Amino acid sequence: VSDAEKAMLFAAMAPDVGSGIGSFGGHWFQCRNGHTYTIGECGGAMVRSQCPECGATIGGASHALDADNRVDEDFRRFATTS
């Protein structure tokens, strides 16, 4: 996915998901294989699920993201420049 496509996706989803930066809203993450997913509400991981792209475990528990997941820095960059 190109940066232009990511910017369009971020702009389209931010009102529903949230920017994850300085807002009460969801956050953007990646599974261990680099596939992007979001966590809505406060953005804290409360459950584990499977990545729809590769089946890797995503999410976490008690507002703690599993160690093999990470913040999607591309979407963080779009949030801070939007």
Side-chain angles (χ1 to χ4, degrees):
V1 177
S2 71
D3 277 356
E5 291 168 323
K6 288 178 183 177
M8 288 188 288
L9 181 61
F10 179 81
M13 291 187 68
D16 292 324
V17 175
S19 68
I21 304 295
S23 68
F24 182 79
H27 298 266
W28 302 80
F29 300 98
Q30 290 182 333
C31 75
R32 68 175 176 248
N33 295 313
H35 301 117
T36 299
Y37 68 95
T38 62
I39 297 177
E41 309 275 324
C42 68
M46 294 299 292
V47 297
R48 289 179 181 89
S49 189
Q50 279 70 48
C51 174
E53 301 271 341
C54 67
T57 301
I58 59 174
S62 301
H63 287 102
L65 194 64
D66 282 352
D68 61 352
N69 288 223
R70 62 188 173 274
V71 171
D72 186 317
E73 293 299 335
D74 284 343
F75 281 97
R76 180 183 295 266
R77 183 170 41 91
F78 290 122
T80 59
T81 59
S82 297

